[in-house]
Amino acid sequence: EIGSFNPPPRVEEKAPEIDLRTLEKETSYLQAATLFKLCKDLDSRDIMPAIFFNFSRKEIERMLKKLVDELEKRQYDKYFGDEDAKYRTKKLNERRRAEYEQKKKAYDEAQKMKASAKQESKAARASGENEGRGGNKSEAVDTSADSMMVEPIEPMDIADEIDDEFTFHSAKALGVGQEDIEEEIFKA
């Protein structure tokens, strides 16, 4: 006969006393670095957008604020974190400003030429000169390319733009550029 099972006697272990006033739940998932790492991981797997679920609205809002703060801090550090970063950012902004000034000057000149051409044609019509189609073609000024020129947009500081490295937006959902994103936010 197989012997009957005799469990060992129970030993009453006394649980250590816990001060419930100091007890806190585990909140590592609320840390900004953890949230950033999680979002980067989801983004690298191309499974964004994602929904974070938590029973506490306050915790969700706190998580969002911490994540946004972390993204802003990392972007700031990228552009101003040390002297080299500050120098690169300054030079990049100067180059962008110079390109803008060059485009703006060309645009202003094109607008002046367009206005001048309109005045000349108006004066010619009023005086009855250049009769017939096209007038005196040897003196006609072609401003069609100038009139198609779009006014350049003044560049913003690169550190204030949305940097792809520090955003998790979906280009399919919100568009590709900063203007597209801002437009969507404005609509909401």
Side-chain angles (χ1 to χ4, degrees), residues 51-116:
I51 297 174
F52 285 85
F53 182 79
N54 190 314
F55 285 110
S56 171
R57 180 184 181 113
K58 286 182 182 179
E59 281 186 5
I60 287 289
E61 289 171 352
R62 193 168 46 214
M63 289 166 68
L64 175 63
K65 178 162 180 15
K66 285 182 177 189
L67 180 59
V68 169
D69 290 346
E70 180 74 8
L71 293 169
E72 288 174 346
K73 178 190 173 300
R74 287 178 184 241
Q75 183 167 333
Y76 178 85
D77 288 347
K78 177 181 178 180
Y79 294 109
F80 302 108
D82 58 26
E83 290 303 315
D84 288 339
K86 287 179 189 176
Y87 179 77
R88 284 190 309 272
T89 301
K90 179 182 174 187
K91 288 299 179 187
L92 184 58
N93 282 329
E94 287 173 356
R95 186 172 67 238
R96 292 172 69 174
R97 172 58 66 183
E99 289 172 2
Y100 165 76
E101 294 296 336
Q102 184 180 12
K103 289 177 183 176
K104 179 72 172 157
K105 184 178 178 184
Y107 174 80
D108 290 342
E109 287 175 5
Q111 294 304 309
K112 286 178 187 176
M113 287 179 61
K114 182 179 171 185
S116 176

XYZ file of all heavy atoms in Angstrom, residues 51-116:
581
model
N -3.560 53.648 -28.226
C -4.387 54.185 -27.146
C -3.832 53.701 -25.823
O -3.609 52.507 -25.630
C -5.855 53.726 -27.292
C -6.439 54.273 -28.590
C -6.671 54.175 -26.087
C -7.836 53.760 -28.888
N -3.590 54.648 -24.925
C -3.188 54.301 -23.561
C -4.463 54.232 -22.735
O -5.297 55.131 -22.791
C -2.263 55.381 -22.969
C -0.877 55.334 -23.508
C -0.555 55.978 -24.689
C 0.116 54.664 -22.827
C 0.723 55.938 -25.195
C 1.402 54.613 -23.318
C 1.703 55.251 -24.507
N -4.582 53.187 -21.984
C -5.776 53.021 -21.167
C -5.385 52.979 -19.710
O -4.416 52.340 -19.328
C -6.511 51.728 -21.539
C -7.765 51.531 -20.757
C -8.926 52.204 -21.089
C -7.767 50.697 -19.657
C -10.075 52.028 -20.349
C -8.915 50.506 -18.911
C -10.079 51.179 -19.254
N -6.154 53.699 -18.917
C -5.954 53.713 -17.472
C -7.293 54.100 -16.851
O -8.013 54.926 -17.399
C -4.868 54.733 -17.108
C -4.432 54.639 -15.670
O -5.258 54.551 -14.774
N -3.138 54.680 -15.455
N -7.609 53.530 -15.718
C -8.884 53.846 -15.077
C -8.909 55.261 -14.515
O -9.969 55.822 -14.299
C -9.199 52.839 -13.960
C -9.636 51.515 -14.490
C -8.824 50.408 -14.367
C -10.856 51.376 -15.117
C -9.226 49.179 -14.863
C -11.270 50.157 -15.618
C -10.448 49.053 -15.488
N -7.754 55.829 -14.280
C -7.700 57.155 -13.678
C -7.442 58.217 -14.738
O -6.398 58.246 -15.377
C -6.581 57.211 -12.627
O -6.392 58.540 -12.206
N -8.398 59.109 -14.905
C -8.241 60.206 -15.863
C -7.073 61.105 -15.459
O -6.310 61.576 -16.300
C -9.531 61.015 -15.947
C -9.452 62.154 -16.921
C -10.717 63.000 -16.907
N -10.606 64.060 -17.855
C -11.320 64.172 -18.954
N -12.232 63.266 -19.221
N -11.150 65.184 -19.757
N -6.922 61.320 -14.150
C -5.824 62.165 -13.677
C -4.467 61.565 -14.048
O -3.548 62.288 -14.429
C -5.902 62.368 -12.159
C -6.995 63.309 -11.734
C -6.996 63.495 -10.233
C -8.136 64.395 -9.830
N -8.199 64.587 -8.386
N -4.345 60.245 -13.927
C -3.079 59.598 -14.286
C -2.816 59.704 -15.784
O -1.687 59.950 -16.202
C -3.066 58.142 -13.839
C -2.777 57.975 -12.380
C -2.631 56.517 -11.964
O -2.659 55.620 -12.844
O -2.481 56.270 -10.765
N -3.846 59.548 -16.595
C -3.682 59.679 -18.044
C -3.230 61.097 -18.384
O -2.313 61.300 -19.181
C -4.991 59.324 -18.786
C -5.233 57.828 -18.754
C -4.982 59.845 -20.210
C -4.291 57.021 -19.619
N -3.872 62.087 -17.784
C -3.486 63.480 -18.039
C -2.056 63.736 -17.574
O -1.287 64.435 -18.241
C -4.471 64.430 -17.358
C -5.830 64.452 -18.039
C -6.893 65.210 -17.265
O -6.637 65.622 -16.098
O -7.988 65.394 -17.821
N -1.693 63.164 -16.429
C -0.334 63.317 -15.912
C 0.669 62.624 -16.845
O 1.746 63.149 -17.117
C -0.258 62.754 -14.495
C 0.995 63.145 -13.757
C 0.933 62.833 -12.285
N 0.422 61.498 -12.027
C -0.312 61.189 -10.970
N -0.620 62.095 -10.081
N -0.738 59.952 -10.791
N 0.304 61.464 -17.365
C 1.175 60.748 -18.302
C 1.386 61.580 -19.566
O 2.518 61.700 -20.055
C 0.563 59.388 -18.670
C 0.597 58.377 -17.541
S -0.463 56.935 -17.846
C 0.376 56.134 -19.190
N 0.305 62.162 -20.081
C 0.412 62.983 -21.282
C 1.308 64.187 -21.033
O 2.196 64.484 -21.827
C -0.972 63.444 -21.746
C -0.979 64.407 -22.923
C -0.403 63.755 -24.166
C -2.378 64.926 -23.180
N 1.101 64.866 -19.924
C 1.914 66.038 -19.610
C 3.389 65.659 -19.472
O 4.262 66.337 -20.006
C 1.427 66.714 -18.334
C 2.285 67.903 -17.952
C 1.633 68.819 -16.989
C 2.453 70.007 -16.590
N 3.598 70.367 -17.358
N 3.661 64.562 -18.780
C 5.051 64.125 -18.605
C 5.687 63.750 -19.940
O 6.853 64.070 -20.190
C 5.131 62.945 -17.633
C 4.937 63.348 -16.188
C 5.084 62.163 -15.279
C 4.973 62.595 -13.829
N 5.312 61.510 -12.914
N 4.918 63.086 -20.811
C 5.452 62.705 -22.108
C 5.753 63.941 -22.953
O 6.824 64.047 -23.550
C 4.485 61.780 -22.848
C 4.934 61.317 -24.228
C 6.257 60.559 -24.152
C 3.861 60.462 -24.873
N 4.829 64.897 -22.980
C 5.055 66.127 -23.751
C 6.253 66.889 -23.191
O 7.107 67.363 -23.948
C 3.785 67.005 -23.768
C 4.070 68.388 -24.322
C 2.681 66.326 -24.572
N 6.345 66.992 -21.880
C 7.487 67.663 -21.257
C 8.799 66.974 -21.630
O 9.804 67.634 -21.913
C 7.345 67.713 -19.731
C 6.242 68.660 -19.270
O 5.764 69.479 -20.090
O 5.854 68.572 -18.086
N 8.778 65.639 -21.634
C 9.985 64.875 -21.985
C 10.372 65.117 -23.446
O 11.547 65.309 -23.756
C 9.747 63.379 -21.748
C 10.918 62.498 -22.078
C 12.054 62.560 -21.079
O 11.901 63.180 -20.002
O 13.117 61.981 -21.371
N 9.399 65.121 -24.331
C 9.677 65.383 -25.746
C 10.248 66.786 -25.935
O 11.219 66.978 -26.669
C 8.412 65.205 -26.580
C 7.878 63.777 -26.676
C 6.484 63.776 -27.308
C 8.818 62.886 -27.454
N 9.651 67.763 -25.271
C 10.146 69.143 -25.376
C 11.560 69.267 -24.817
O 12.406 69.944 -25.394
C 9.197 70.102 -24.670
C 7.888 70.301 -25.408
C 6.883 71.139 -24.644
O 7.069 71.371 -23.418
O 5.889 71.561 -25.260
N 11.815 68.605 -23.697
C 13.146 68.650 -23.087
C 14.188 68.025 -24.014
O 15.257 68.599 -24.231
C 13.141 67.922 -21.744
C 14.497 67.871 -21.052
C 14.450 66.932 -19.850
C 15.801 66.711 -19.243
N 16.791 66.133 -20.147
N 13.864 66.885 -24.579
C 14.815 66.221 -25.478
C 15.062 67.053 -26.736
O 16.183 67.124 -27.219
C 14.315 64.825 -25.848
C 14.440 63.852 -24.688
C 13.899 62.484 -25.058
N 13.924 61.597 -23.925
C 14.619 60.464 -23.884
N 15.347 60.094 -24.898
N 14.575 59.708 -22.808
N 14.004 67.685 -27.255
C 14.192 68.534 -28.435
C 15.033 69.760 -28.068
O 15.928 70.145 -28.815
C 12.846 68.966 -29.018
C 13.009 69.784 -30.285
C 11.719 69.963 -31.051
O 10.825 69.151 -30.980
N 11.641 71.044 -31.800
N 14.778 70.346 -26.914
C 15.579 71.487 -26.471
C 17.051 71.078 -26.325
O 17.949 71.787 -26.779
C 15.051 72.039 -25.139
C 15.867 73.188 -24.627
C 15.610 74.487 -25.053
C 16.918 72.986 -23.736
C 16.370 75.553 -24.607
C 17.696 74.040 -23.292
C 17.418 75.324 -23.725
O 18.186 76.371 -23.291
N 17.280 69.931 -25.715
C 18.655 69.446 -25.544
C 19.337 69.209 -26.888
O 20.539 69.447 -27.029
C 18.680 68.160 -24.712
C 18.370 68.406 -23.247
O 18.368 69.580 -22.818
O 18.109 67.418 -22.527
N 18.572 68.756 -27.872
C 19.152 68.525 -29.201
C 19.665 69.830 -29.804
O 20.727 69.852 -30.422
C 18.108 67.909 -30.132
C 18.606 67.715 -31.558
C 17.541 67.118 -32.441
C 18.042 66.971 -33.879
N 17.007 66.375 -34.747
N 18.924 70.908 -29.625
C 19.284 72.174 -30.267
C 20.076 73.128 -29.374
O 20.787 73.982 -29.882
C 18.028 72.880 -30.779
C 17.368 72.117 -31.899
C 16.166 71.461 -31.717
C 17.984 72.026 -33.142
C 15.573 70.758 -32.750
C 17.398 71.312 -34.176
C 16.191 70.688 -33.977
O 15.621 69.984 -34.997
N 19.950 72.995 -28.049
C 20.620 73.923 -27.138
C 21.296 73.241 -25.958
O 21.708 73.909 -25.013
C 19.610 74.949 -26.592
C 18.931 75.750 -27.659
C 17.597 75.533 -27.965
C 19.629 76.717 -28.363
C 16.967 76.279 -28.947
C 19.002 77.464 -29.345
C 17.676 77.242 -29.647
N 21.420 71.922 -25.993
C 21.924 71.167 -24.854
C 23.364 71.456 -24.478
O 23.734 71.384 -23.315
N 24.198 71.790 -25.454
C 25.585 72.136 -25.165
C 26.025 73.223 -26.154
O 25.252 73.640 -27.015
C 26.496 70.905 -25.235
C 26.454 70.196 -26.588
O 26.153 70.845 -27.612
O 26.734 68.986 -26.633
N 27.251 73.678 -26.012
C 27.735 74.790 -26.845
C 27.766 74.423 -28.328
O 27.445 75.251 -29.178
C 29.128 75.240 -26.377
C 29.118 75.941 -25.023
C 28.206 77.157 -24.988
O 28.228 77.977 -25.931
O 27.454 77.297 -24.012
N 28.154 73.191 -28.649
C 28.168 72.767 -30.051
C 26.764 72.784 -30.647
O 26.564 73.213 -31.779
C 28.767 71.360 -30.194
C 30.262 71.335 -29.973
O 30.899 72.407 -30.103
O 30.801 70.246 -29.683
N 25.801 72.281 -29.884
C 24.414 72.263 -30.358
C 23.904 73.687 -30.571
O 23.241 73.975 -31.574
C 23.522 71.521 -29.371
N 24.214 74.579 -29.643
C 23.795 75.980 -29.789
C 24.402 76.600 -31.044
O 23.723 77.312 -31.785
C 24.220 76.798 -28.570
C 23.426 76.534 -27.332
C 23.943 77.373 -26.184
C 23.296 76.968 -24.885
N 23.841 77.701 -23.740
N 25.670 76.326 -31.291
C 26.361 76.883 -32.454
C 25.737 76.351 -33.749
O 25.472 77.127 -34.671
C 27.853 76.533 -32.388
C 28.639 77.047 -33.563
C 28.993 78.390 -33.653
C 29.017 76.191 -34.589
C 29.704 78.868 -34.741
C 29.729 76.656 -35.686
C 30.070 77.994 -35.754
O 30.758 78.464 -36.835
N 25.509 75.026 -33.815
C 24.902 74.434 -35.015
C 23.509 75.005 -35.264
O 23.155 75.314 -36.406
C 24.820 72.911 -34.881
C 26.128 72.185 -35.082
C 25.934 70.674 -35.173
N 25.146 70.102 -34.098
C 25.640 69.683 -32.930
N 26.931 69.772 -32.691
N 24.845 69.161 -32.019
N 22.734 75.152 -34.203
C 21.387 75.694 -34.328
C 21.421 77.137 -34.813
O 20.652 77.519 -35.697
C 20.649 75.608 -32.973
O 20.600 74.239 -32.572
C 19.245 76.166 -33.053
N 22.331 77.922 -34.251
C 22.466 79.327 -34.665
C 22.821 79.421 -36.141
O 22.219 80.197 -36.894
C 23.532 80.011 -33.815
C 23.761 81.461 -34.167
C 24.861 82.069 -33.316
C 25.166 83.473 -33.786
N 26.322 84.043 -33.128
N 23.789 78.614 -36.592
C 24.218 78.638 -37.992
C 23.095 78.176 -38.929
O 22.890 78.752 -39.998
C 25.467 77.771 -38.201
C 26.712 78.370 -37.603
C 27.009 79.708 -38.243
C 28.234 80.357 -37.670
N 28.432 81.703 -38.167
N 22.375 77.158 -38.513
C 21.269 76.665 -39.330
C 20.178 77.723 -39.461
O 19.659 77.957 -40.557
C 20.697 75.385 -38.727
C 19.590 74.697 -39.512
C 20.049 74.333 -40.917
C 19.127 73.456 -38.782
N 19.848 78.374 -38.359
C 18.844 79.445 -38.394
C 19.311 80.613 -39.258
O 18.514 81.207 -39.993
C 18.496 79.921 -36.985
C 17.553 78.967 -36.280
O 16.736 78.307 -36.901
N 17.676 78.892 -34.967
N 20.603 80.955 -39.183
C 21.135 82.042 -40.015
C 21.043 81.684 -41.493
O 20.678 82.527 -42.316
C 22.591 82.339 -39.630
C 22.743 83.050 -38.311
C 24.194 83.180 -37.853
O 25.117 82.646 -38.531
O 24.417 83.806 -36.802
N 21.356 80.438 -41.845
C 21.286 80.004 -43.239
C 19.841 80.042 -43.742
O 19.565 80.514 -44.852
C 21.871 78.604 -43.390
C 21.957 78.173 -44.840
C 22.702 76.863 -45.049
N 21.974 75.739 -44.470
C 22.463 74.922 -43.542
N 23.680 75.082 -43.091
N 21.734 73.942 -43.078
N 18.923 79.585 -42.915
C 17.504 79.617 -43.291
C 17.013 81.050 -43.458
O 16.248 81.342 -44.380
C 16.668 78.888 -42.238
C 16.926 77.395 -42.211
C 16.266 76.717 -41.061
N 14.823 76.739 -41.250
C 13.968 76.119 -40.469
N 14.398 75.433 -39.450
N 12.679 76.184 -40.688
N 17.456 81.938 -42.588
C 17.067 83.347 -42.671
C 17.618 83.967 -43.960
O 16.920 84.708 -44.654
C 17.559 84.095 -41.435
C 17.412 85.605 -41.449
C 16.034 86.113 -41.628
N 15.174 85.799 -40.515
C 13.888 86.121 -40.497
N 13.345 86.772 -41.488
N 13.136 85.792 -39.493
N 18.873 83.664 -44.303
C 19.495 84.208 -45.523
C 18.753 83.715 -46.767
O 18.507 84.501 -47.696
C 20.967 83.823 -45.581
N 18.393 82.428 -46.801
C 17.636 81.890 -47.933
C 16.279 82.584 -48.050
O 15.834 82.908 -49.154
C 17.439 80.379 -47.770
C 18.693 79.570 -47.965
C 18.516 78.105 -47.602
O 17.383 77.685 -47.217
O 19.503 77.362 -47.678
N 15.636 82.815 -46.912
C 14.346 83.509 -46.910
C 14.497 84.931 -47.444
O 13.708 85.372 -48.282
C 13.751 83.542 -45.503
C 12.623 84.538 -45.357
C 11.367 84.262 -45.876
C 12.822 85.756 -44.729
C 10.328 85.175 -45.771
C 11.804 86.675 -44.615
C 10.551 86.383 -45.134
O 9.535 87.291 -45.027
N 15.517 85.645 -46.965
C 15.733 87.033 -47.401
C 15.974 87.084 -48.912
O 15.467 87.980 -49.595
C 16.916 87.659 -46.651
C 16.700 87.836 -45.155
C 15.589 88.811 -44.800
O 15.261 89.698 -45.621
O 15.030 88.689 -43.695
N 16.719 86.124 -49.434
C 16.990 86.067 -50.864
C 15.696 85.828 -51.644
O 15.424 86.501 -52.642
C 18.002 84.956 -51.149
C 18.424 84.856 -52.584
C 19.424 83.723 -52.798
O 19.635 82.880 -51.938
N 20.040 83.716 -53.960
N 14.877 84.879 -51.193
C 13.606 84.595 -51.860
C 12.644 85.773 -51.742
O 11.923 86.090 -52.688
C 12.966 83.334 -51.273
C 13.686 82.070 -51.639
C 13.044 80.866 -50.966
C 13.796 79.587 -51.254
N 13.213 78.447 -50.526
N 12.639 86.416 -50.582
C 11.748 87.563 -50.351
C 12.135 88.716 -51.278
O 11.268 89.390 -51.854
C 11.824 87.989 -48.882
C 10.981 89.179 -48.525
C 9.517 88.837 -48.526
C 8.732 90.020 -47.953
N 7.356 90.017 -48.384
N 13.430 88.955 -51.436
C 13.903 90.024 -52.313
C 13.471 89.752 -53.750
O 12.984 90.639 -54.447
C 15.427 90.140 -52.217
C 16.008 91.279 -53.017
C 17.511 91.349 -52.836
C 18.092 92.470 -53.698
N 19.542 92.511 -53.610
N 13.646 88.510 -54.207
C 13.240 88.139 -55.563
C 11.733 88.297 -55.735
O 11.264 88.793 -56.770
C 13.669 86.704 -55.863
N 10.973 87.928 -54.722
C 9.518 88.053 -54.777
C 9.115 89.523 -54.858
O 8.263 89.891 -55.673
C 8.886 87.382 -53.551
C 7.400 87.590 -53.457
C 6.521 86.813 -54.225
C 6.854 88.555 -52.618
C 5.156 87.004 -54.150
C 5.493 88.754 -52.544
C 4.642 87.975 -53.311
O 3.281 88.166 -53.238
N 9.710 90.360 -54.018
C 9.390 91.794 -54.022
C 9.718 92.426 -55.371
O 8.944 93.238 -55.894
C 10.127 92.515 -52.893
C 9.588 92.146 -51.513
O 8.452 91.609 -51.433
O 10.308 92.399 -50.520
N 10.857 92.054 -55.943
C 11.232 92.584 -57.257
C 10.242 92.129 -58.323
O 9.866 92.912 -59.195
C 12.657 92.140 -57.621
C 13.724 92.854 -56.827
C 15.124 92.326 -57.097
O 15.296 91.454 -57.989
O 16.050 92.786 -56.417
N 9.799 90.885 -58.247
C 8.831 90.372 -59.208
C 7.505 91.125 -59.087
O 6.864 91.440 -60.090
C 8.618 88.878 -58.994
N 7.115 91.430 -57.852
C 5.871 92.167 -57.653
C 5.972 93.584 -58.206
O 5.026 94.107 -58.789
C 5.497 92.196 -56.160
C 5.160 90.838 -55.584
C 4.051 90.136 -56.347
O 2.994 90.695 -56.593
N 4.308 88.898 -56.755
N 7.135 94.206 -58.033
C 7.347 95.552 -58.579
C 7.303 95.528 -60.097
O 6.708 96.404 -60.727
C 8.687 96.120 -58.101
C 8.686 96.550 -56.666
C 10.048 97.066 -56.251
C 10.099 97.349 -54.767
N 11.452 97.754 -54.346
N 7.942 94.519 -60.696
C 7.938 94.404 -62.155
C 6.524 94.165 -62.665
O 6.113 94.715 -63.686
C 8.865 93.273 -62.609
C 10.339 93.605 -62.483
S 11.418 92.261 -62.999
C 10.968 92.075 -64.702
N 5.770 93.349 -61.943
C 4.390 93.061 -62.330
C 3.556 94.335 -62.280
O 2.790 94.632 -63.202
C 3.815 91.987 -61.398
C 2.420 91.553 -61.705
C 2.000 90.471 -60.726
C 0.540 90.160 -60.853
N 0.102 89.204 -59.841
N 3.725 95.111 -61.191
C 2.979 96.361 -61.052
C 3.395 97.359 -62.130
O 2.564 98.058 -62.717
C 3.203 96.950 -59.664
N 4.671 97.422 -62.424
C 5.181 98.333 -63.443
C 4.643 97.945 -64.821
O 4.233 98.806 -65.610
C 6.707 98.294 -63.447
O 7.216 99.085 -64.482
